[in-house]
Amino acid sequence: MSKVGSYLKKHTEALVKDVGIEPACELTGKSKATLGRYYSDHDEHADRFMPIDAVAALEEAASYPHVTSALAELKGISLSYDERRKNTADKGGVNSDVIALSQRFAMLMAEYQQSIDDGVITVNEAKRLLKETTMLQQVLIDMKLHLEEETT
């Protein structure tokens, strides 16, 4: 088995174990044996890998995106993991918007500082900076909408 295949299988196993074998079976619709084959390092299972829809279902339930981060690492890509998942829209008003704006700006500046440390901004770093800038713009738009709502 290739090193990449072995690496992915180890992370697939970590994902299944993170979720738990029984819940993983329920989420993917696969049996324990099938899930085991996806991370088995035996030669007869060397070409078996978990389908991407099953990976997505398990990573939604897992504490960490094991397979996605492994794939990113293999490609030399850095991921930013934000475990906050809001269930409701933020309705905190202008003060909350100012705080969110300040936090987003601080994140953008931190990303920029990390990117220029070595004197070169890579494509991946540029993408992260663009993503953070876009998030900052969204906070500004939300802030403007809140201000308009409060003045009407």
Side-chain angles (χ1 to χ4, degrees):
M1 181 181 323
S2 72
K3 288 181 182 180
V4 170
S6 177
Y7 184 74
L8 290 175
K9 284 184 176 276
K10 287 185 187 327
H11 285 276
T12 302
E13 181 177 15
L15 176 61
V16 171
K17 289 183 177 179
D18 183 351
V19 174
I21 190 73
E22 294 291 335
C25 291
E26 290 178 31
L27 288 168
T28 62
K30 309 288 184 190
S31 68
K32 290 180 186 180
T34 300
L35 291 177
R37 289 181 195 107
Y38 292 147
Y39 56 80
S40 172
D41 58 0
H42 289 89
D43 288 338
E44 66 263 22
H45 304 301
D47 61 343
R48 288 193 165 177
F49 292 92
M50 186 177 283
I52 196 69
D53 61 332
V55 170
L58 292 179
E59 287 190 347
E60 182 66 27
S63 65
Y64 183 78
H66 298 277
V67 175
T68 298
S69 65
L71 289 167
E73 189 174 323
L74 286 169
K75 196 67 177 160
I77 297 171
S78 173
L79 296 178
S80 176
Y81 181 64
D82 184 0
E83 63 184 23
R84 292 174 293 169
R85 296 179 183 169
K86 294 184 179 181
N87 292 326
T88 59
D90 208 4
K91 297 189 188 306
V94 176
N95 287 338
S96 294
D97 290 342
V98 170
I99 291 167
L101 178 65
S102 299
Q103 290 172 334
R104 281 289 173 194
F105 186 72
M107 290 174 71
L108 177 62
M109 291 297 97
E111 287 285 333
Y112 178 73
Q113 177 60 38
Q114 288 177 347
S115 296
I116 64 169
D117 270 350
D118 60 359
V120 176
I121 297 178
T122 66
V123 173
N124 289 330
E125 290 170 334
K127 286 179 182 179
R128 283 197 319 266
L129 289 170
L130 179 59
K131 180 181 175 187
E132 203 53 55
T133 302
T134 303
M135 296 296 269
L136 184 62
Q137 288 173 332
Q138 186 59 52
V139 171
L140 284 168
I141 291 168
D142 292 345
M143 190 176 202
K144 181 180 182 239
L145 291 173
H146 279 136
L147 284 171
E148 288 173 354
E149 287 175 2
E150 289 183 5
T151 58
T152 57

